[in-house]
PDB file of all heavy atoms in Angstrom:
ATOM      1  N   ASP N 575      -5.569  -0.819  -6.433  1.00 72.00           N
ATOM      2  CA  ASP N 575      -5.886   0.480  -5.845  1.00 72.00           C
ATOM      3  C   ASP N 575      -4.579   1.144  -5.443  1.00 72.00           C
ATOM      4  O   ASP N 575      -3.941   0.737  -4.478  1.00 72.00           O
ATOM      5  CB  ASP N 575      -6.787   0.298  -4.622  1.00 72.00           C
ATOM      6  CG  ASP N 575      -7.233   1.608  -4.003  1.00 72.00           C
ATOM      7  OD1 ASP N 575      -6.844   2.680  -4.503  1.00 72.00           O
ATOM      8  OD2 ASP N 575      -7.981   1.550  -3.018  1.00 72.00           O
ATOM      9  N   THR N 576      -4.162   2.149  -6.202  1.00 73.00           N
ATOM     10  CA  THR N 576      -2.905   2.825  -5.904  1.00 73.00           C
ATOM     11  C   THR N 576      -3.116   4.174  -5.226  1.00 73.00           C
ATOM     12  O   THR N 576      -2.184   4.963  -5.123  1.00 73.00           O
ATOM     13  CB  THR N 576      -2.070   3.038  -7.184  1.00 73.00           C
ATOM     14  OG1 THR N 576      -2.838   3.790  -8.120  1.00 73.00           O
ATOM     15  CG2 THR N 576      -1.652   1.715  -7.778  1.00 73.00           C
ATOM     16  N   ASN N 577      -4.320   4.431  -4.743  1.00 63.00           N
ATOM     17  CA  ASN N 577      -4.549   5.651  -3.983  1.00 63.00           C
ATOM     18  C   ASN N 577      -3.771   5.564  -2.674  1.00 63.00           C
ATOM     19  O   ASN N 577      -3.643   4.493  -2.078  1.00 63.00           O
ATOM     20  CB  ASN N 577      -6.033   5.852  -3.708  1.00 63.00           C
ATOM     21  CG  ASN N 577      -6.792   6.161  -4.979  1.00 63.00           C
ATOM     22  OD1 ASN N 577      -6.545   7.180  -5.615  1.00 63.00           O
ATOM     23  ND2 ASN N 577      -7.704   5.287  -5.355  1.00 63.00           N
ATOM     24  N   LEU N 578      -3.241   6.681  -2.242  1.00 60.00           N
ATOM     25  CA  LEU N 578      -2.390   6.696  -1.059  1.00 60.00           C
ATOM     26  C   LEU N 578      -3.160   6.333   0.206  1.00 60.00           C
ATOM     27  O   LEU N 578      -4.334   6.676   0.358  1.00 60.00           O
ATOM     28  CB  LEU N 578      -1.748   8.077  -0.886  1.00 60.00           C
ATOM     29  CG  LEU N 578      -0.868   8.554  -2.038  1.00 60.00           C
ATOM     30  CD1 LEU N 578      -0.310   9.933  -1.728  1.00 60.00           C
ATOM     31  CD2 LEU N 578       0.241   7.575  -2.344  1.00 60.00           C
ATOM     32  N   VAL N 579      -2.480   5.622   1.102  1.00 59.00           N
ATOM     33  CA  VAL N 579      -3.054   5.247   2.387  1.00 59.00           C
ATOM     34  C   VAL N 579      -3.397   6.516   3.157  1.00 59.00           C
ATOM     35  O   VAL N 579      -2.619   7.461   3.197  1.00 59.00           O
ATOM     36  CB  VAL N 579      -2.054   4.392   3.188  1.00 59.00           C
ATOM     37  CG1 VAL N 579      -2.547   4.151   4.597  1.00 59.00           C
ATOM     38  CG2 VAL N 579      -1.790   3.073   2.478  1.00 59.00           C
ATOM     39  N   GLY N 580      -4.580   6.536   3.721  1.00 62.00           N
ATOM     40  CA  GLY N 580      -5.004   7.677   4.509  1.00 62.00           C
ATOM     41  C   GLY N 580      -5.781   8.719   3.733  1.00 62.00           C
ATOM     42  O   GLY N 580      -6.291   9.662   4.314  1.00 62.00           O
ATOM     43  N   THR N 581      -5.877   8.567   2.415  1.00 62.00           N
ATOM     44  CA  THR N 581      -6.657   9.520   1.628  1.00 62.00           C
ATOM     45  C   THR N 581      -8.091   9.015   1.508  1.00 62.00           C
ATOM     46  O   THR N 581      -8.365   7.827   1.636  1.00 62.00           O
ATOM     47  CB  THR N 581      -6.074   9.724   0.219  1.00 62.00           C
ATOM     48  OG1 THR N 581      -6.114   8.484  -0.497  1.00 62.00           O
ATOM     49  CG2 THR N 581      -4.647  10.231   0.289  1.00 62.00           C
ATOM     50  N   TRP N 582      -8.992   9.909   1.230  1.00 56.00           N
ATOM     51  CA  TRP N 582     -10.401   9.537   1.129  1.00 56.00           C
ATOM     52  C   TRP N 582     -10.677   8.658  -0.079  1.00 56.00           C
ATOM     53  O   TRP N 582     -11.684   7.958  -0.120  1.00 56.00           O
ATOM     54  CB  TRP N 582     -11.283  10.794   1.101  1.00 56.00           C
ATOM     55  CG  TRP N 582     -11.120  11.613  -0.148  1.00 56.00           C
ATOM     56  CD1 TRP N 582     -10.162  12.551  -0.386  1.00 56.00           C
ATOM     57  CD2 TRP N 582     -11.931  11.557  -1.307  1.00 56.00           C
ATOM     58  NE1 TRP N 582     -10.319  13.085  -1.630  1.00 56.00           N
ATOM     59  CE2 TRP N 582     -11.412  12.491  -2.224  1.00 56.00           C
ATOM     60  CE3 TRP N 582     -13.041  10.813  -1.681  1.00 56.00           C
ATOM     61  CZ2 TRP N 582     -11.960  12.692  -3.479  1.00 56.00           C
ATOM     62  CZ3 TRP N 582     -13.583  11.030  -2.939  1.00 56.00           C
ATOM     63  CH2 TRP N 582     -13.044  11.959  -3.821  1.00 56.00           C
ATOM     64  N   ARG N 583      -9.782   8.624  -1.072  1.00 60.00           N
ATOM     65  CA  ARG N 583      -9.992   7.808  -2.269  1.00 60.00           C
ATOM     66  C   ARG N 583      -9.583   6.346  -2.064  1.00 60.00           C
ATOM     67  O   ARG N 583      -9.969   5.487  -2.831  1.00 60.00           O
ATOM     68  CB  ARG N 583      -9.207   8.374  -3.452  1.00 60.00           C
ATOM     69  CG  ARG N 583      -9.685   9.706  -3.940  1.00 60.00           C
ATOM     70  CD  ARG N 583     -11.072   9.672  -4.528  1.00 60.00           C
ATOM     71  NE  ARG N 583     -11.173   8.719  -5.613  1.00 60.00           N
ATOM     72  CZ  ARG N 583     -12.316   8.228  -6.062  1.00 60.00           C
ATOM     73  NH1 ARG N 583     -13.451   8.595  -5.539  1.00 60.00           N
ATOM     74  NH2 ARG N 583     -12.340   7.357  -7.038  1.00 60.00           N
ATOM     75  N   ARG N 584      -8.802   6.047  -1.041  1.00 58.00           N
ATOM     76  CA  ARG N 584      -8.325   4.684  -0.825  1.00 58.00           C
ATOM     77  C   ARG N 584      -9.516   3.762  -0.612  1.00 58.00           C
ATOM     78  O   ARG N 584     -10.342   3.961   0.269  1.00 58.00           O
ATOM     79  CB  ARG N 584      -7.410   4.615   0.407  1.00 58.00           C
ATOM     80  CG  ARG N 584      -6.795   3.269   0.640  1.00 58.00           C
ATOM     81  CD  ARG N 584      -5.666   3.041  -0.298  1.00 58.00           C
ATOM     82  NE  ARG N 584      -5.184   1.672  -0.187  1.00 58.00           N
ATOM     83  CZ  ARG N 584      -4.379   1.118  -1.047  1.00 58.00           C
ATOM     84  NH1 ARG N 584      -3.930   1.802  -2.073  1.00 58.00           N
ATOM     85  NH2 ARG N 584      -4.000  -0.110  -0.902  1.00 58.00           N
ATOM     86  N   GLY N 585      -9.648   2.746  -1.456  1.00 58.00           N
ATOM     87  CA  GLY N 585     -10.726   1.782  -1.352  1.00 58.00           C
ATOM     88  C   GLY N 585     -12.050   2.263  -1.925  1.00 58.00           C
ATOM     89  O   GLY N 585     -13.072   1.600  -1.791  1.00 58.00           O
ATOM     90  N   ALA N 586     -12.051   3.394  -2.620  1.00 59.00           N
ATOM     91  CA  ALA N 586     -13.299   3.968  -3.124  1.00 59.00           C
ATOM     92  C   ALA N 586     -13.925   3.179  -4.267  1.00 59.00           C
ATOM     93  O   ALA N 586     -15.096   3.338  -4.546  1.00 59.00           O
ATOM     94  CB  ALA N 586     -13.055   5.415  -3.575  1.00 59.00           C
TER      95      ALA N 586
END
Side-chain angles (χ1 to χ4, degrees):
D575 184 359
T576 58
N577 292 297
L578 300 180
V579 172
T581 62
W582 68 276
R583 293 295 303 161
R584 184 77 187 167

